[in-house]
Amino acid sequence: MIGSTIVHLDSVDSTNNYAAKALLTKSLKEGTVFIAACQEAGRGQAGSVWESERGMNLTFSIVLYPRQIALSDQFAISMAVSLGVADFLAQFVGGVSIKWPNDIYVNDKKIAGILIETAISNGKFSQAIIGIGININQEVFYSDAPNPVSLKNLTGQEYDLTRMLDLLCEQLDKRYCSLLRREQLLIEKEYEQSLYRRKIWSNYGDHLIEFEGRITSVERDGKLVIETRDGLLRGFYFKEVVFL
Ligand code: BTN
């Protein structure tokens, strides 16, 4: 059960690094959470930095052993985790969506990010470290992250982080259990329905051009499908397309 063991840390480089190191020396119960008040080198997707002011937000990593999930279904883990975070946030604020592949948005601003790092042995996932950062009480952001926002920015309220972590673990556990029950089709459907800009004509860019398109679906392997104005369906993997 996610969150049945919670390890509170004061200052670490990154909770994902901390969890990975802990796994080298100890066996950890599935669902163990490492949460830090402060990350000195919080990591984001594709080598970016994750900004979080000490004691203001949720920055944590969960240890999972998704051995039952086929390697080809790796993206299902990402979908389930994104939905869990979105479900949690929707309890407090409207306009929550998932910006493909796994940024969590409220309207046009990013409130949470997810960094999943898996290890494989004997053709199976031997472990997955699910790193999650959610902006809760921080009011001002200093990094060059394009459009950060926190729950406090949105609602004006201050939140108790211990209680928020409990509620979040509950939602993540529901989605992870659903994944383990092989409810993959349901997860895919709900993920698709939760997508930021789904079916809305918007501007995108690939490595060559800018184009207008609308998101129609996401394939099982995580490929984003965008229909262009001339009726073409184009598929993109992570970092092959930018939202303009
Ligand atoms: C992103 O959107 O770029 C992903 C951000 C992931 C941030 C979290 S905070 C807890 C965990 N530890 C890290 O170093 N990163 C993840």
Side-chain angles (χ1 to χ4, degrees):
M1 155 125 195
I2 293 178
S4 60
T5 303
I6 298 180
V7 181
H8 289 270
L9 305 161
D10 180 51
S11 195
V12 295
D13 55 350
S14 142
T15 55
N16 269 34
N17 296 354
Y18 192 94
K21 279 190 210 127
L23 277 162
L24 293 175
T25 55
K26 292 192 255 297
S27 68
L28 298 168
K29 215 165 78 179
E30 178 158 44
T32 298
V33 168
F34 292 98
I35 180 159
C38 172
Q39 291 190 119
E40 272 145 27
R43 292 190 288 116
Q45 295 277 2
S48 64
V49 169
W50 185 254
E51 174 191 354
S52 179
E53 200 178 325
R54 167 182 281 275
M56 292 292 183
N57 304 310
L58 291 174
T59 48
F60 66 100
S61 302
I62 308 165
V63 174
L64 297 178
Y65 305 112
R67 296 183 186 99
Q68 309 93 307
I69 309 299
L71 296 185
S72 56
D73 285 341
Q74 170 150 19
F75 194 69
I77 304 174
S78 180
M79 288 192 280
V81 172
S82 303
L83 283 169
V85 176
D87 295 343
F88 159 74
L89 285 165
Q91 295 176 309
F92 302 95
V93 77
V96 177
S97 65
I98 302 169
K99 183 178 172 211
W100 176 86
N102 57 12
D103 286 345
I104 312 301
Y105 267 47
V106 177
N107 300 321
D108 287 310
K109 295 194 164 220
K110 178 165 170 174
I111 192 164
I114 298 166
L115 179 66
I116 300 179
E117 296 178 304
T118 51
I120 295 167
S121 101
N122 299 324
K124 288 185 186 334
F125 288 115
S126 52
Q127 66 186 52
I129 297 172
I130 315 292
I132 301 177
I134 307 187
N135 301 327
I136 306 280
N137 291 323
Q138 183 164 341
E139 287 180 274
V140 182
F141 293 85
Y142 299 96
S143 72
D144 55 2
N147 47 4
V149 75
S150 69
L151 259 192
K152 184 164 187 189
N153 290 150
L154 294 163
T155 67
Q157 287 183 45
E158 187 101 17
Y159 297 86
D160 178 81
L161 293 182
T162 308
R163 168 146 175 78
M164 294 303 260
L165 180 63
D166 281 350
L167 293 173
L168 176 54
C169 286
E170 197 183 308
Q171 297 305 320
L172 288 166
D173 197 65
K174 276 192 195 159
R175 291 293 183 173
Y176 186 54
C177 288
S178 162
L179 179 66
L180 296 183
R181 284 197 305 271
R182 311 212 169 270
E183 294 173 352
Q184 186 145 348
L185 286 179
L186 176 78
I187 290 171
E188 280 170 18
K189 189 172 137 230
E190 292 195 26
Y191 173 87
E192 224 169 72
Q193 283 167 349
S194 308
L195 279 177
Y196 173 70
R197 286 191 186 173
R198 175 170 175 260
K199 291 191 177 163
I200 295 173
W201 290 104
S202 312
N203 294 319
Y204 296 90
D206 63 14
H207 62 292
L208 290 174
I209 51 156
E210 287 184 20
F211 62 94
E212 212 187 343
R214 60 177 175 186
I215 293 171
T216 59
S217 61
V218 175
E219 292 185 359
R220 205 178 173 142
D221 64 355
K223 186 163 76 180
L224 179 72
V225 181
I226 300 180
E227 179 189 350
T228 63
R229 279 287 187 192
D230 45 20
L232 213 68
L233 289 179
R234 298 189 60 192
F236 300 94
Y237 289 104
F238 187 48
K239 291 285 162 200
E240 291 180 350
V241 64
V242 285
F243 289 56
L244 298 172

